[in-house]
Amino acid sequence: AQAAKFRGGEVNLIHGPLQFSESLLEGLNTFPITNSSEMQDELMNLKASADFIVMAAAVSDFRSKSGASQKKIPKIEFISNLAENLEIVPDLLCDLTSKSHSKQLILGFSALTGKSSEIKQAGEVKRIAKNCDLLFANPVDIPEQGFGSDFNSGVLLGANGFEMDFPVLSKLSLANKLLDELFNMKSKFL
């Protein structure tokens, strides 16, 4: 978000609980949320005015139908309780791509595990299924990068076999390189 802001963008950042200094939010339009329903609402409110949408985080795949229970569930009732009280969270990225306008570019992220070839293959399957213009597939099973680290690596995937590998970079450098690719892609539409 900050990389886009420093390049002159007006940035709307929808975020959950933060694990960094709020000073990093300076100059951004922030929309704090606490659950997947709030995230979905904010995405739908903001998407029409966006030239680029970057979905760098995902919400849980399941949510409680009626809020968190404070009652201890006996082990014997655990499976039936799950089926009765959980629902699948809508796929927010698929929902966005199905309702995007023709000049809007959407970059999705996918945290994956395995060998580089497995990550590329699974990432491409996900890119197609989610109908993203670009998808950044990054390994989350490599120490010192990904979640909780200032560094990351991965592969950027796009239509017609587009594939760009990124070595381990600072997340700020990686953000700028991903923005470069979004801007390059946008210039082809103009």
Side-chain angles (χ1 to χ4, degrees), residues 11 17 24-25 29 52 55-56 60 69 73-74 87 91 98-99 103 109 119 121 132 150-151 161 172 189:
V11 179
L24 290 174
L25 300 176
N29 302 318
F52 302 100
M55 295 287 288
S60 172
S69 171
I73 301 167
E87 64 184 358
D91 190 318
S98 70
K99 297 172 183 163
K103 293 188 178 182
F109 277 64
I119 288 173
Q121 182 178 10
C132 303
D150 291 333
F151 299 91
L172 181 59
F189 287 129

PDB file of all heavy atoms in Angstrom, residues 11 17 24-25 29 52 55-56 60 69 73-74 87 91 98-99 103 109 119 121 132 150-151 161 172 189:
ATOM      1  N   VAL A  11      -4.662   5.402  -2.276  1.00  0.00           N
ATOM      2  CA  VAL A  11      -4.735   4.010  -1.845  1.00  0.00           C
ATOM      3  C   VAL A  11      -5.788   3.831  -0.762  1.00  0.00           C
ATOM      4  O   VAL A  11      -5.770   4.510   0.269  1.00  0.00           O
ATOM      5  CB  VAL A  11      -3.360   3.531  -1.324  1.00  0.00           C
ATOM      6  CG1 VAL A  11      -3.439   2.082  -0.860  1.00  0.00           C
ATOM      7  CG2 VAL A  11      -2.295   3.693  -2.401  1.00  0.00           C
ATOM      8  N   PRO A  17      -6.653  -6.762  12.003  1.00  0.00           N
ATOM      9  CA  PRO A  17      -5.748  -6.343  13.077  1.00  0.00           C
ATOM     10  C   PRO A  17      -4.323  -6.210  12.546  1.00  0.00           C
ATOM     11  O   PRO A  17      -3.862  -7.027  11.752  1.00  0.00           O
ATOM     12  CB  PRO A  17      -5.849  -7.489  14.088  1.00  0.00           C
ATOM     13  CG  PRO A  17      -7.171  -8.122  13.803  1.00  0.00           C
ATOM     14  CD  PRO A  17      -7.377  -7.972  12.322  1.00  0.00           C
ATOM     15  N   LEU A  24       2.711   3.519   9.726  1.00  0.00           N
ATOM     16  CA  LEU A  24       2.852   3.049   8.344  1.00  0.00           C
ATOM     17  C   LEU A  24       1.577   3.262   7.533  1.00  0.00           C
ATOM     18  O   LEU A  24       1.590   3.109   6.320  1.00  0.00           O
ATOM     19  CB  LEU A  24       3.251   1.575   8.303  1.00  0.00           C
ATOM     20  CG  LEU A  24       4.674   1.272   8.765  1.00  0.00           C
ATOM     21  CD1 LEU A  24       4.910  -0.229   8.825  1.00  0.00           C
ATOM     22  CD2 LEU A  24       5.690   1.924   7.838  1.00  0.00           C
ATOM     23  N   LEU A  25       0.495   3.626   8.190  1.00  0.00           N
ATOM     24  CA  LEU A  25      -0.768   3.871   7.503  1.00  0.00           C
ATOM     25  C   LEU A  25      -0.913   5.329   7.056  1.00  0.00           C
ATOM     26  O   LEU A  25      -1.889   5.674   6.393  1.00  0.00           O
ATOM     27  CB  LEU A  25      -1.949   3.494   8.396  1.00  0.00           C
ATOM     28  CG  LEU A  25      -2.004   2.039   8.844  1.00  0.00           C
ATOM     29  CD1 LEU A  25      -3.169   1.838   9.806  1.00  0.00           C
ATOM     30  CD2 LEU A  25      -2.106   1.111   7.661  1.00  0.00           C
ATOM     31  N   ASN A  29      -6.012   5.771   2.841  1.00  0.00           N
ATOM     32  CA  ASN A  29      -7.403   5.713   3.281  1.00  0.00           C
ATOM     33  C   ASN A  29      -7.596   4.326   3.879  1.00  0.00           C
ATOM     34  O   ASN A  29      -7.528   3.335   3.155  1.00  0.00           O
ATOM     35  CB  ASN A  29      -8.352   5.913   2.102  1.00  0.00           C
ATOM     36  CG  ASN A  29      -8.117   7.222   1.394  1.00  0.00           C
ATOM     37  OD1 ASN A  29      -7.901   8.242   2.021  1.00  0.00           O
ATOM     38  ND2 ASN A  29      -8.141   7.192   0.073  1.00  0.00           N
ATOM     39  N   PHE A  52      -6.819  -0.540  -9.825  1.00  0.00           N
ATOM     40  CA  PHE A  52      -6.106  -1.764  -9.470  1.00  0.00           C
ATOM     41  C   PHE A  52      -6.665  -2.274  -8.153  1.00  0.00           C
ATOM     42  O   PHE A  52      -6.950  -1.488  -7.256  1.00  0.00           O
ATOM     43  CB  PHE A  52      -4.612  -1.497  -9.256  1.00  0.00           C
ATOM     44  CG  PHE A  52      -3.918  -0.890 -10.445  1.00  0.00           C
ATOM     45  CD1 PHE A  52      -3.660   0.462 -10.484  1.00  0.00           C
ATOM     46  CD2 PHE A  52      -3.509  -1.680 -11.509  1.00  0.00           C
ATOM     47  CE1 PHE A  52      -3.024   1.034 -11.565  1.00  0.00           C
ATOM     48  CE2 PHE A  52      -2.866  -1.113 -12.594  1.00  0.00           C
ATOM     49  CZ  PHE A  52      -2.626   0.242 -12.628  1.00  0.00           C
ATOM     50  N   MET A  55      -5.224  -8.098  -3.815  1.00  0.00           N
ATOM     51  CA  MET A  55      -5.737  -8.910  -2.713  1.00  0.00           C
ATOM     52  C   MET A  55      -4.565  -9.673  -2.098  1.00  0.00           C
ATOM     53  O   MET A  55      -4.291 -10.818  -2.452  1.00  0.00           O
ATOM     54  CB  MET A  55      -6.812  -9.877  -3.208  1.00  0.00           C
ATOM     55  CG  MET A  55      -8.066  -9.196  -3.735  1.00  0.00           C
ATOM     56  SD  MET A  55      -9.063  -8.488  -2.437  1.00  0.00           S
ATOM     57  CE  MET A  55      -9.745  -9.958  -1.692  1.00  0.00           C
ATOM     58  N   ALA A  56      -3.865  -9.006  -1.182  1.00  0.00           N
ATOM     59  CA  ALA A  56      -2.639  -9.557  -0.619  1.00  0.00           C
ATOM     60  C   ALA A  56      -2.871 -10.403   0.628  1.00  0.00           C
ATOM     61  O   ALA A  56      -1.938 -10.995   1.137  1.00  0.00           O
ATOM     62  CB  ALA A  56      -1.664  -8.426  -0.304  1.00  0.00           C
ATOM     63  N   SER A  60     -10.362 -16.260   6.591  1.00  0.00           N
ATOM     64  CA  SER A  60     -10.571 -17.677   6.871  1.00  0.00           C
ATOM     65  C   SER A  60     -11.514 -18.303   5.847  1.00  0.00           C
ATOM     66  O   SER A  60     -12.350 -17.620   5.255  1.00  0.00           O
ATOM     67  CB  SER A  60     -11.163 -17.805   8.269  1.00  0.00           C
ATOM     68  OG  SER A  60     -11.548 -19.126   8.541  1.00  0.00           O
ATOM     69  N   SER A  69     -18.844 -19.295  20.151  1.00  0.00           N
ATOM     70  CA  SER A  69     -19.501 -19.892  21.305  1.00  0.00           C
ATOM     71  C   SER A  69     -18.533 -19.903  22.476  1.00  0.00           C
ATOM     72  O   SER A  69     -17.361 -20.212  22.315  1.00  0.00           O
ATOM     73  CB  SER A  69     -19.938 -21.322  20.984  1.00  0.00           C
ATOM     74  OG  SER A  69     -20.388 -21.951  22.161  1.00  0.00           O
ATOM     75  N   ILE A  73     -17.358 -27.589  23.926  1.00  0.00           N
ATOM     76  CA  ILE A  73     -18.047 -28.619  23.144  1.00  0.00           C
ATOM     77  C   ILE A  73     -17.456 -29.982  23.499  1.00  0.00           C
ATOM     78  O   ILE A  73     -16.245 -30.182  23.369  1.00  0.00           O
ATOM     79  CB  ILE A  73     -17.870 -28.362  21.632  1.00  0.00           C
ATOM     80  CG1 ILE A  73     -18.430 -26.981  21.294  1.00  0.00           C
ATOM     81  CG2 ILE A  73     -18.524 -29.451  20.808  1.00  0.00           C
ATOM     82  CD1 ILE A  73     -18.041 -26.504  19.915  1.00  0.00           C
ATOM     83  N   PRO A  74     -18.283 -30.934  23.928  1.00  0.00           N
ATOM     84  CA  PRO A  74     -17.768 -32.278  24.218  1.00  0.00           C
ATOM     85  C   PRO A  74     -17.194 -32.920  22.940  1.00  0.00           C
ATOM     86  O   PRO A  74     -17.699 -32.688  21.837  1.00  0.00           O
ATOM     87  CB  PRO A  74     -19.000 -33.049  24.697  1.00  0.00           C
ATOM     88  CG  PRO A  74     -19.996 -32.003  25.076  1.00  0.00           C
ATOM     89  CD  PRO A  74     -19.705 -30.816  24.234  1.00  0.00           C
ATOM     90  N   GLU A  87     -20.069 -22.106   8.408  1.00  0.00           N
ATOM     91  CA  GLU A  87     -20.437 -21.915   7.017  1.00  0.00           C
ATOM     92  C   GLU A  87     -19.198 -21.497   6.238  1.00  0.00           C
ATOM     93  O   GLU A  87     -18.240 -20.959   6.805  1.00  0.00           O
ATOM     94  CB  GLU A  87     -21.544 -20.873   6.875  1.00  0.00           C
ATOM     95  CG  GLU A  87     -21.150 -19.486   7.302  1.00  0.00           C
ATOM     96  CD  GLU A  87     -22.312 -18.506   7.228  1.00  0.00           C
ATOM     97  OE1 GLU A  87     -23.418 -18.888   6.814  1.00  0.00           O
ATOM     98  OE2 GLU A  87     -22.104 -17.336   7.601  1.00  0.00           O
ATOM     99  N   ASP A  91     -15.884 -16.629  -1.544  1.00  0.00           N
ATOM    100  CA  ASP A  91     -14.560 -16.368  -2.117  1.00  0.00           C
ATOM    101  C   ASP A  91     -14.544 -14.915  -2.579  1.00  0.00           C
ATOM    102  O   ASP A  91     -15.085 -14.572  -3.634  1.00  0.00           O
ATOM    103  CB  ASP A  91     -14.297 -17.320  -3.280  1.00  0.00           C
ATOM    104  CG  ASP A  91     -12.864 -17.258  -3.751  1.00  0.00           C
ATOM    105  OD1 ASP A  91     -12.319 -16.139  -3.834  1.00  0.00           O
ATOM    106  OD2 ASP A  91     -12.303 -18.313  -4.057  1.00  0.00           O
ATOM    107  N   SER A  98     -15.451 -11.476 -10.824  1.00  0.00           N
ATOM    108  CA  SER A  98     -16.671 -11.683 -11.605  1.00  0.00           C
ATOM    109  C   SER A  98     -17.432 -10.373 -11.826  1.00  0.00           C
ATOM    110  O   SER A  98     -18.244 -10.285 -12.732  1.00  0.00           O
ATOM    111  CB  SER A  98     -17.581 -12.710 -10.925  1.00  0.00           C
ATOM    112  OG  SER A  98     -18.140 -12.176  -9.746  1.00  0.00           O
ATOM    113  N   LYS A  99     -17.138  -9.372 -11.007  1.00  0.00           N
ATOM    114  CA  LYS A  99     -17.858  -8.106 -11.106  1.00  0.00           C
ATOM    115  C   LYS A  99     -16.941  -6.938 -11.452  1.00  0.00           C
ATOM    116  O   LYS A  99     -17.327  -5.788 -11.297  1.00  0.00           O
ATOM    117  CB  LYS A  99     -18.557  -7.816  -9.781  1.00  0.00           C
ATOM    118  CG  LYS A  99     -19.607  -8.851  -9.444  1.00  0.00           C
ATOM    119  CD  LYS A  99     -20.157  -8.657  -8.054  1.00  0.00           C
ATOM    120  CE  LYS A  99     -21.158  -9.767  -7.753  1.00  0.00           C
ATOM    121  NZ  LYS A  99     -21.448  -9.896  -6.355  1.00  0.00           N
ATOM    122  N   LYS A 103     -11.426  -2.261 -17.530  1.00  0.00           N
ATOM    123  CA  LYS A 103     -10.131  -1.588 -17.394  1.00  0.00           C
ATOM    124  C   LYS A 103      -9.550  -1.735 -15.998  1.00  0.00           C
ATOM    125  O   LYS A 103      -8.576  -1.088 -15.651  1.00  0.00           O
ATOM    126  CB  LYS A 103     -10.266  -0.113 -17.769  1.00  0.00           C
ATOM    127  CG  LYS A 103     -10.570   0.064 -19.242  1.00  0.00           C
ATOM    128  CD  LYS A 103     -10.520   1.493 -19.648  1.00  0.00           C
ATOM    129  CE  LYS A 103     -10.799   1.570 -21.149  1.00  0.00           C
ATOM    130  NZ  LYS A 103     -10.732   2.914 -21.657  1.00  0.00           N
ATOM    131  N   PHE A 109      -3.057 -12.979  -4.532  1.00  0.00           N
ATOM    132  CA  PHE A 109      -1.904 -13.627  -3.911  1.00  0.00           C
ATOM    133  C   PHE A 109      -2.321 -15.026  -3.491  1.00  0.00           C
ATOM    134  O   PHE A 109      -3.476 -15.253  -3.138  1.00  0.00           O
ATOM    135  CB  PHE A 109      -1.452 -12.851  -2.669  1.00  0.00           C
ATOM    136  CG  PHE A 109      -0.556 -11.694  -2.959  1.00  0.00           C
ATOM    137  CD1 PHE A 109      -1.008 -10.618  -3.699  1.00  0.00           C
ATOM    138  CD2 PHE A 109       0.739 -11.678  -2.481  1.00  0.00           C
ATOM    139  CE1 PHE A 109      -0.196  -9.533  -3.957  1.00  0.00           C
ATOM    140  CE2 PHE A 109       1.574 -10.605  -2.743  1.00  0.00           C
ATOM    141  CZ  PHE A 109       1.108  -9.530  -3.474  1.00  0.00           C
ATOM    142  N   ILE A 119       4.459 -25.056  -6.900  1.00  0.00           N
ATOM    143  CA  ILE A 119       3.887 -23.742  -6.594  1.00  0.00           C
ATOM    144  C   ILE A 119       3.402 -23.082  -7.877  1.00  0.00           C
ATOM    145  O   ILE A 119       2.312 -22.510  -7.918  1.00  0.00           O
ATOM    146  CB  ILE A 119       4.909 -22.880  -5.829  1.00  0.00           C
ATOM    147  CG1 ILE A 119       5.038 -23.427  -4.407  1.00  0.00           C
ATOM    148  CG2 ILE A 119       4.527 -21.402  -5.837  1.00  0.00           C
ATOM    149  CD1 ILE A 119       6.124 -22.805  -3.585  1.00  0.00           C
ATOM    150  N   GLN A 121       2.492 -24.559 -10.684  1.00  0.00           N
ATOM    151  CA  GLN A 121       1.331 -25.288 -11.192  1.00  0.00           C
ATOM    152  C   GLN A 121       0.081 -24.965 -10.369  1.00  0.00           C
ATOM    153  O   GLN A 121      -0.978 -24.652 -10.923  1.00  0.00           O
ATOM    154  CB  GLN A 121       1.608 -26.788 -11.177  1.00  0.00           C
ATOM    155  CG  GLN A 121       0.481 -27.612 -11.742  1.00  0.00           C
ATOM    156  CD  GLN A 121       0.804 -29.105 -11.749  1.00  0.00           C
ATOM    157  OE1 GLN A 121       1.780 -29.557 -11.177  1.00  0.00           O
ATOM    158  NE2 GLN A 121      -0.046 -29.860 -12.413  1.00  0.00           N
ATOM    159  N   CYS A 132      -8.105 -14.025 -12.047  1.00  0.00           N
ATOM    160  CA  CYS A 132      -7.271 -12.839 -11.794  1.00  0.00           C
ATOM    161  C   CYS A 132      -6.504 -12.494 -13.051  1.00  0.00           C
ATOM    162  O   CYS A 132      -6.132 -13.374 -13.825  1.00  0.00           O
ATOM    163  CB  CYS A 132      -6.215 -13.110 -10.737  1.00  0.00           C
ATOM    164  SG  CYS A 132      -6.775 -13.656  -9.174  1.00  0.00           S
ATOM    165  N   ASP A 150      10.319  -9.813   6.730  1.00  0.00           N
ATOM    166  CA  ASP A 150      10.388  -8.645   5.858  1.00  0.00           C
ATOM    167  C   ASP A 150      10.773  -9.026   4.435  1.00  0.00           C
ATOM    168  O   ASP A 150      10.965  -8.152   3.592  1.00  0.00           O
ATOM    169  CB  ASP A 150      11.408  -7.636   6.401  1.00  0.00           C
ATOM    170  CG  ASP A 150      10.931  -6.983   7.685  1.00  0.00           C
ATOM    171  OD1 ASP A 150       9.704  -6.887   7.879  1.00  0.00           O
ATOM    172  OD2 ASP A 150      11.786  -6.575   8.494  1.00  0.00           O
ATOM    173  N   PHE A 151      10.902 -10.318   4.153  1.00  0.00           N
ATOM    174  CA  PHE A 151      11.338 -10.796   2.844  1.00  0.00           C
ATOM    175  C   PHE A 151      10.355 -11.804   2.275  1.00  0.00           C
ATOM    176  O   PHE A 151       9.626 -12.465   3.008  1.00  0.00           O
ATOM    177  CB  PHE A 151      12.730 -11.435   2.953  1.00  0.00           C
ATOM    178  CG  PHE A 151      13.765 -10.466   3.419  1.00  0.00           C
ATOM    179  CD1 PHE A 151      14.046 -10.331   4.766  1.00  0.00           C
ATOM    180  CD2 PHE A 151      14.444  -9.662   2.519  1.00  0.00           C
ATOM    181  CE1 PHE A 151      14.989  -9.415   5.206  1.00  0.00           C
ATOM    182  CE2 PHE A 151      15.377  -8.741   2.943  1.00  0.00           C
ATOM    183  CZ  PHE A 151      15.651  -8.618   4.296  1.00  0.00           C
ATOM    184  N   GLY A 161       0.545 -17.837 -20.562  1.00  0.00           N
ATOM    185  CA  GLY A 161       1.803 -18.405 -20.092  1.00  0.00           C
ATOM    186  C   GLY A 161       2.756 -17.415 -19.455  1.00  0.00           C
ATOM    187  O   GLY A 161       3.913 -17.737 -19.203  1.00  0.00           O
ATOM    188  N   LEU A 172       9.183  -4.527   0.393  1.00  0.00           N
ATOM    189  CA  LEU A 172       9.026  -3.242  -0.271  1.00  0.00           C
ATOM    190  C   LEU A 172       9.529  -3.319  -1.719  1.00  0.00           C
ATOM    191  O   LEU A 172       8.862  -2.847  -2.637  1.00  0.00           O
ATOM    192  CB  LEU A 172       9.756  -2.132   0.487  1.00  0.00           C
ATOM    193  CG  LEU A 172       9.625  -0.741  -0.111  1.00  0.00           C
ATOM    194  CD1 LEU A 172       8.163  -0.303  -0.204  1.00  0.00           C
ATOM    195  CD2 LEU A 172      10.437   0.259   0.698  1.00  0.00           C
ATOM    196  N   PHE A 189      -3.425  -1.726 -22.171  1.00  0.00           N
ATOM    197  CA  PHE A 189      -4.863  -1.509 -22.383  1.00  0.00           C
ATOM    198  C   PHE A 189      -5.159  -0.122 -22.929  1.00  0.00           C
ATOM    199  O   PHE A 189      -6.220   0.128 -23.474  1.00  0.00           O
ATOM    200  CB  PHE A 189      -5.648  -1.677 -21.083  1.00  0.00           C
ATOM    201  CG  PHE A 189      -5.766  -3.107 -20.635  1.00  0.00           C
ATOM    202  CD1 PHE A 189      -5.435  -3.461 -19.326  1.00  0.00           C
ATOM    203  CD2 PHE A 189      -6.209  -4.094 -21.494  1.00  0.00           C
ATOM    204  CE1 PHE A 189      -5.546  -4.770 -18.896  1.00  0.00           C
ATOM    205  CE2 PHE A 189      -6.320  -5.405 -21.074  1.00  0.00           C
ATOM    206  CZ  PHE A 189      -5.992  -5.732 -19.777  1.00  0.00           C
TER     207      PHE A 189
END
